[in-house]
Amino acid sequence: MNPVISFYPGPSKVYPQAENYLHDAYKSGVLSVNHRSDVFMEMLESTIVSLKETLSVPVDYEVYLVCSATECWEIIAQSLVGTSSLHIYNGAFGAKWLEYTQKIKPGAEGWEFGINEVPDVSGLQIDLGHDVICVTHSETSNGTMLPVSFLSALRGHTQQLIAVDATSSMAGVALPWMDADVWYASVQKCFGLPAGLGVMVVSPAAVARAEHIGDRNFYNSFLFVRENFIKFQTPYTPNTLGIYLLGRVMQQVPGIDETAVELHNRAREWYTFLTDHGYELLISNEAVRSDTVIAVQADRETITKIKAGAKQAGLQLGNGYGKWKDTSFRIANFPAITMTDISLLRNFLFSISHS
Ligand SMILES: *Cc1c(COP(=O)(O)O)cnc(C)c1O
């Protein structure tokens, strides 16, 4: 039997080229060497250089690799938030980030907005105490994405650090790097890789803040991570295989501008196809629909029927998430998914909508 084609928004489809990269990694010997050796350091450097080039990361921004996006919540709360962060969110991942931060910095506050809204920056009360403003770029739970105009307006509205959860958009969308100080993602979404790494991209202002706060209490304190990465080392024995695969994929894929245009067009085709065939999108406001995660809503019974039918056809749809768990399904529109994969899913969705 052919493996199921995954449209789950993470973990999702892994690039088929990864099969050969796994073999190459083994043959290269890098998996058996010490992480302070030249062989490892050269491999890490080349991975970071390729990532910065492919994703057009500004030269003065630094890239660190950690274990997951969730770990970035912890690193930011421990090492970058002084007293309180302000979390602007509309879904489950943004809410979890806030909750998580409150356990470490009890002063953290939330500002929730509606799923069809672009939050209005002019109405935002940012106190002096809110030293990091936290936003979720692509809210994977409901298929919304913040427009670039919001990020630039937020940048113009505050001098505070801005941190962005771009877990399901980094490597799929051209991110306006300069409009925030910390961007992070994990590799099992748009990077088309097996889970096990978080990518953290930080501005000089974020580094300065970490130095000012001076947190060195944890194994993953920002400053420890940084001191190692600027030497192309890691604070602890790392996921060498994951780093190797990341480097190979970053060398393989086209530059982000090309990928972003393609995904954007594919997303528009998805939205048109779905509405043309009687599916109801969870997000009615086109301006906030995600390019990378598409959410469709229906009653429980219909959702159950569609998901079961898809599974039988060898297609894995994403379950709904959080409060939309039973009344929506999600379709990943990640770069590793091909037009052939998409045609198979469209044929299925077409046939079931007419049955
Ligand atoms: C998947 C996801 C996370 C969690 O990623 P992990 O790799 O499991 O830590 C966080 N935020 C968003 C927006 C996500 O999509």
Side-chain angles (χ1 to χ4, degrees):
M1 204 187 107
N2 289 327
V4 167
I5 302 171
S6 181
F7 289 89
Y8 216 98
S12 194
K13 183 179 169 182
V14 167
Y15 279 108
Q17 289 91 334
E19 187 177 355
N20 287 329
Y21 301 157
L22 285 166
H23 192 63
D24 293 348
Y26 177 77
K27 279 194 304 186
S28 77
V30 74
L31 303 181
S32 306
V33 302
N34 181 282
H35 61 290
R36 314 260 175 230
S37 67
D38 290 342
V39 173
F40 175 83
M41 284 163 31
E42 277 161 27
M43 189 279 284
L44 178 56
E45 179 171 7
S46 126
T47 298
I48 290 175
V49 168
S50 304
L51 185 146
K52 286 186 79 168
E53 222 171 76
T54 304
L55 303 186
S56 300
V57 174
V59 201
D60 60 345
Y61 276 47
E62 294 179 1
V63 175
Y64 317 138
L65 302 174
V66 294
C67 295
S68 65
T70 305
E71 189 186 10
C72 296
W73 296 344
E74 182 171 279
I75 295 172
I76 294 164
Q78 282 169 181
S79 303
L80 296 176
V81 177
T83 48
S84 160
S85 46
L86 177 64
H87 297 248
I88 304 168
Y89 67 97
N90 74 354
F93 285 103
K96 266 198 212 173
W97 184 5
L98 167 63
E99 245 172 69
Y100 207 96
T101 304
Q102 281 171 332
K103 291 183 193 168
I104 299 173
K105 295 284 153 81
E109 290 183 302
W111 196 71
E112 191 173 0
F113 61 98
I115 54 172
N116 284 302
E117 264 175 64
V118 179
D120 177 13
V121 170
S122 63
L124 197 62
Q125 290 294 321
I126 299 179
D127 298 336
L128 279 179
H130 290 142
D131 38 28
V132 184
I133 314 303
C134 302
V135 298
T136 305
H137 180 243
S138 174
E139 177 49 80
T140 319
S141 67
N142 57 28
T144 56
M145 186 173 276
L146 289 168
V148 270
S149 59
F150 169 80
L151 292 167
S152 64
L154 181 63
R155 193 55 144 178
H157 187 70
T158 177
Q159 300 289 319
Q160 306 292 12
L161 286 190
I162 298 172
V164 186
D165 181 342
T167 305
S168 61
S169 52
M170 191 187 292
V173 175
L175 299 171
W177 299 109
M178 304 295 274
D179 283 340
D181 302 290
V182 181
W183 297 85
Y184 61 85
S186 41
V187 295
Q188 73 276 19
K189 311 230 168 144
C190 286
F191 287 90
L193 285 164
L197 276 184
V199 177
M200 200 171 180
V201 179
V202 305
S203 74
V207 172
R209 166 69 61 79
E211 281 167 349
H212 177 74
I213 291 182
D215 159 51
R216 292 174 173 280
N217 290 337
F218 306 97
Y219 84 99
N220 58 1
S221 288
F222 186 102
L223 295 175
F224 288 151
V225 174
R226 172 169 199 263
E227 281 156 15
N228 279 277
F229 271 87
I230 57 179
K231 293 184 293 191
F232 301 110
Q233 294 188 0
T234 58
Y236 45 82
T237 318
N239 175 357
T240 304
L241 178 58
I243 298 171
Y244 178 89
L245 294 176
L246 174 62
R248 293 295 299 271
V249 162
M250 287 293 98
Q251 284 157 18
Q252 162 206 317
V253 300
I256 190 62
D257 289 331
E258 190 180 328
T259 304
V261 168
E262 196 188 317
L263 282 195
H264 180 69
N265 291 335
R266 266 170 34 173
R268 285 180 27 187
E269 285 167 23
W270 259 127
Y271 289 122
T272 308
F273 169 89
L274 289 162
T275 38
D276 284 355
H277 292 88
Y279 291 94
E280 191 187 345
L281 300 168
L282 180 59
I283 305 304
S284 55
N285 179 2
E286 280 179 42
V288 297
R289 281 182 196 151
S290 173
D291 281 352
T292 54
V293 181
I294 292 154
V296 179
Q297 67 176 336
D299 57 78
R300 269 161 219 267
E301 217 175 300
T302 310
I303 296 289
T304 309
K305 180 180 127 189
I306 295 173
K307 283 197 309 203
K311 206 167 173 185
Q312 276 216 310
L315 304 161
Q316 172 76 57
L317 289 171
N319 292 332
Y321 199 96
K323 70 174 130 171
W324 302 282
K325 191 171 190 306
D326 299 322
T327 52
S328 70
F329 66 83
R330 294 172 302 156
I331 302 169
N333 182 36
F334 293 166
I337 295 166
T338 62
M339 280 315 296
T340 313
D341 299 334
I342 293 174
S343 310
L344 290 169
L345 181 54
R346 289 220 182 119
N347 289 342
F348 164 76
L349 290 172
F350 176 82
S351 64
I352 199 164
S353 72
H354 291 266
S355 69

